[in-house]
Amino acid sequence: MPKYQKQFRILVAVDCIIFGFDGAELKILLVKRDLEPEKGKWSLMGGFITERENFDRGGARILKQLTGLEGVYMEQLHAFGHPDRDPSERTISVAYFALIDIHKFENQINSNYHAEWFPVKKIPKLIFDHSNMVAKARERLRYKSAFHPILFELLPEKFTLPQLQSLYEGIFDTEFDKRNFSRKIHSTKLLVKQKDKDKESSKKGAYYYKLDKRRYAANLHAFLNIIPNPVIFNRL
Amino acid sequence: MPKYQKQFRILVAVDCIIFGFDGAELKILLVKRDLEPEKGKWSLMGGFITERENFDRGGARILKQLTGLEGVYMEQLHAFGHPDRDPSERTISVAYFALIDIHKFENQINSNYHAEWFPVKKIPKLIFDHSNMVAKARERLRYKSAFHPILFELLPEKFTLPQLQSLYEGIFDTEFDKRNFSRKIHSTKLLVKQKDKDKESSKKGAYYYKLDKRRYAANLHAFLNIIPNPVIFNRL
DNA sequence: TAAATAAATGTAATTACAACACTTATTATA
DNA sequence: TATAATAAGTGTTGTAATTACATTTATTTA
């Protein structure tokens, strides 16, 4: 088999923008970089692609290294290739974003990495072009979640409508009418009402819901219409 | 500056899915590959990234090499990285899709490449994973054009409503009611009616329109709603 | 001058959406 | 034990958007 002799070869990395939701705020999981250059600075979790690995697998491996989680919602975001993005040697990076249930992570955290959750509105200075990656991931999350039911991935198995609404409101940085919101959510028929209530955050308590997994799996690519029109228009 | 000594480096290519519309069908521009392996087979236009080039520039360079065109609508599609996608040596490819006015290309074609337009519904067998790339690009084009006014990029400066409609109909593989279509298009206020008509395709002749370039530039990211609801639901 | 062809155009019924306020369940406290 | 405080839950109405649908018009050719 012939070889491409004269071309030059480049380091290829995968970086992960890991989103979580703690009930109040959308957050991103960052690590303190453990190799030079920029050692000790805040960074996305990432790593070089290995010889027999495609991007999806690389992303999944890197996510698992840090969080211990598998089978997580992940999606390729964008390939970043500015020639000077890594000052020590040209490296391209294929960025992925992941949506995880923040509570699952807490049990499985890999303490080899110094990892910390940061609210998306208070992200520290990041190495290289990682801030661009985060900005692009937030944009994509808004765009995608405006049309597709993916935000459930950020919630625990049982969640309440007020929790769900506050997640949407956080991502779109606005407030929705709860009657309209509830009607729209129910019209998707994706939720199954439970018998028990969450009494943590109110005296009356809010009913828990679970995803109807069958319908959910069949509707991941379906179109929702949760976001009121003027909002969609201004924010996407 | 420290180096990442132990990692392995990979060839990085950019491939372009170049869409054109001849008035009747959506087409893709393919070339006969001029190097081994797979020399002489049909392929997307592509090339290796050079040392001081980012992906956007690489894509633009490759598009210009073949078509002579600059300032064309281009968008990063996806990074493809299966370890065996190129049998001779591991190569990753960042795919871009471009929308060009097929008539502009005809004047500027670079005859160093044996290039040919193929209807998207009759694409020949392609090298490597290029068929996947084409499939993904078609999907993205449907998705994006369902919400954003990008299909104008495929049309000449002056075009008629029937032409525009047939473009939409081709991409969504369905037929629209022309009264509703016309109303929706006009409601965007993106078109300026010309005084002359296209008499080629009918006796009565259809009025030409041009884009209102100002409004168009301001609305590239705006949301349209051209595609009737049941269609969107079934096709995206 | 009649026939053929495709363009252009308007209306009415239906549906989707947004705006809006009160009642209910529960707990804590007076 | 009655009352106040808190957040959850729920329905209706007006408006805007969307769809379905048929006839007239301009032009060319036979």
Side-chain angles (χ1 to χ4, degrees):
Chain A
M1 193 58 71
K3 299 283 174 190
Y4 308 107
Q5 297 294 358
K6 299 193 170 166
Q7 304 303 331
F8 91 114
R9 286 143 184 87
I10 308 181
L11 284 168
V12 179
V14 172
D15 288 301
C16 295
I17 298 97
I18 304 168
F19 288 104
F21 179 66
D22 66 1
E25 279 182 304
L26 186 68
K27 294 185 165 180
I28 289 178
L29 190 58
L30 299 173
V31 297
K32 275 209 171 142
R33 184 168 159 96
D34 66 349
L35 78 167
E36 294 294 349
E38 306 273 14
K39 186 168 175 176
K41 303 250 181 89
W42 289 108
S43 155
L44 293 169
M45 180 70 186
F48 293 106
I49 205 86
T50 64
E51 296 208 23
R52 296 293 310 155
E53 187 177 65
N54 65 24
F55 295 131
D56 287 3
R57 281 181 175 279
R61 170 176 59 79
I62 285 161
L63 182 81
K64 189 182 174 192
Q65 255 174 48
L66 178 62
T67 65
L69 300 174
E70 292 180 276
V72 160
Y73 183 95
M74 272 191 108
E75 202 179 308
Q76 192 185 111
L77 176 64
H78 195 77
F80 292 79
H82 190 283
D84 302 315
R85 54 177 296 284
D86 183 329
S88 63
E89 176 179 344
R90 182 156 189 193
T91 305
I92 69 157
S93 172
V94 179
Y96 276 74
F97 74 92
L99 307 179
I100 76 175
D101 170 3
I102 208 168
H103 306 100
K104 280 192 189 155
F105 164 74
E106 279 169 358
N107 308 324
Q108 317 205 29
I109 179 166
N110 184 338
S111 54
N112 295 331
Y113 302 91
H114 183 80
E116 219 169 279
W117 288 103
F118 289 85
V120 289
K121 283 170 191 165
K122 290 171 195 162
I123 302 287
K125 195 171 179 312
L126 300 179
I127 65 163
F128 304 169
D129 53 358
H130 286 196
S131 302
N132 290 340
M133 292 181 177
V134 168
K136 193 145 194 143
R138 290 182 63 188
E139 211 176 274
R140 178 76 68 86
L141 184 61
R142 270 201 303 274
Y143 195 102
K144 182 116 190 192
S145 66
F147 299 118
H148 303 279
I150 60 172
L151 295 185
F152 299 106
E153 302 287 346
L154 291 165
L155 292 171
E157 201 187 347
K158 291 199 314 188
F159 54 87
T160 67
L161 279 189
Q163 280 165 16
L164 183 64
Q165 181 169 348
S166 103
L167 171 55
Y168 272 92
E169 289 179 342
I171 284 173
F172 290 93
D173 198 20
T174 182
E175 290 182 8
F176 304 146
D177 179 278
K178 65 181 169 179
R179 288 159 292 188
N180 294 339
F181 182 81
S182 153
R183 189 179 322 106
K184 283 180 173 185
I185 291 292
H186 284 125
S187 77
T188 66
K189 299 183 177 168
L190 252 37
L191 297 194
V192 184
K193 194 175 193 170
Q194 304 302 112
K195 298 224 168 94
D196 51 339
K197 285 181 165 185
D198 164 36
K199 313 277 287 229
E200 302 267 311
S201 54
S202 82
K203 289 165 182 167
K204 181 174 177 183
Y207 280 106
Y208 280 117
Y209 287 83
K210 284 187 182 177
L211 271 180
D212 180 329
K213 282 180 189 170
R214 271 201 168 191
R215 277 181 194 270
Y216 179 62
N219 283 279
L220 248 180
H221 302 285
F223 277 81
L224 294 192
N225 226 357
I226 304 298
I227 317 302
N229 237 315
V231 176
I232 235 180
F233 218 80
N234 294 327
R235 308 272 160 183
L236 292 184
Chain B
M1 192 58 72
K3 298 284 174 190
Y4 309 107
Q5 296 295 356
K6 299 194 171 167
Q7 305 303 332
F8 90 113
R9 287 145 182 84
I10 308 180
L11 283 167
V12 179
V14 172
D15 288 301
C16 295
I17 298 97
I18 304 168
F19 288 103
F21 179 65
D22 66 0
E25 278 181 306
L26 186 67
K27 293 185 166 179
I28 289 178
L29 190 58
L30 299 173
V31 297
K32 275 208 172 143
R33 184 168 158 95
D34 67 349
L35 77 170
E36 295 294 349
E38 306 273 13
K39 186 169 175 175
K41 304 250 180 90
W42 289 108
S43 155
L44 293 169
M45 179 70 185
F48 293 106
I49 206 84
T50 65
E51 296 207 25
R52 296 294 310 155
E53 187 176 65
N54 64 24
F55 295 131
D56 286 3
R57 282 181 174 279
R61 169 176 59 81
I62 285 162
L63 182 81
K64 189 181 174 192
Q65 257 175 47
L66 177 63
T67 65
L69 300 174
E70 292 180 278
V72 161
Y73 183 95
M74 271 189 110
E75 201 179 309
Q76 193 186 111
L77 176 64
H78 195 75
F80 292 80
H82 191 284
D84 302 315
R85 53 177 296 284
D86 183 329
S88 64
E89 176 180 343
R90 182 156 189 193
T91 305
I92 69 158
S93 172
V94 178
Y96 276 75
F97 74 92
L99 307 179
I100 75 175
D101 171 4
I102 207 167
H103 306 101
K104 280 192 187 154
F105 164 73
E106 277 168 359
N107 308 326
Q108 316 204 28
I109 179 165
N110 183 337
S111 53
N112 295 331
Y113 303 91
H114 182 80
E116 220 169 278
W117 288 104
F118 289 84
V120 289
K121 285 171 190 164
K122 291 172 194 160
I123 301 289
K125 195 170 178 315
L126 300 179
I127 65 163
F128 304 168
D129 53 359
H130 286 196
S131 302
N132 290 339
M133 292 180 177
V134 169
K136 193 145 192 143
R138 290 182 63 189
E139 210 177 275
R140 178 77 66 86
L141 184 62
R142 271 202 302 274
Y143 195 102
K144 183 116 190 192
S145 66
F147 300 117
H148 303 280
I150 61 172
L151 295 184
F152 299 107
E153 302 287 345
L154 290 165
L155 293 170
E157 201 188 348
K158 291 197 315 188
F159 54 87
T160 67
L161 279 189
Q163 278 165 18
L164 183 64
Q165 181 170 348
S166 103
L167 172 54
Y168 271 92
E169 289 179 339
I171 284 173
F172 290 94
D173 197 20
T174 185
E175 290 183 7
F176 303 146
D177 179 279
K178 66 179 170 182
R179 289 159 291 188
N180 295 337
F181 182 82
S182 152
R183 188 178 323 106
K184 282 180 172 185
I185 291 292
H186 284 125
S187 77
T188 67
K189 296 182 179 168
L190 253 36
L191 297 194
V192 184
K193 193 174 194 170
Q194 304 302 111
K195 297 223 169 96
D196 51 340
K197 285 180 165 187
D198 163 36
K199 314 276 285 226
E200 302 267 310
S201 53
S202 81
K203 288 164 183 168
K204 182 175 176 182
Y207 281 106
Y208 280 118
Y209 288 82
K210 284 187 183 177
L211 271 180
D212 180 329
K213 283 180 189 170
R214 271 202 168 191
R215 277 181 193 271
Y216 179 62
N219 283 278
L220 248 181
H221 302 286
F223 278 82
L224 295 192
N225 225 359
I226 303 299
I227 317 302
N229 235 316
V231 177
I232 238 182
F233 217 80
N234 294 327
R235 308 272 160 182
L236 291 185

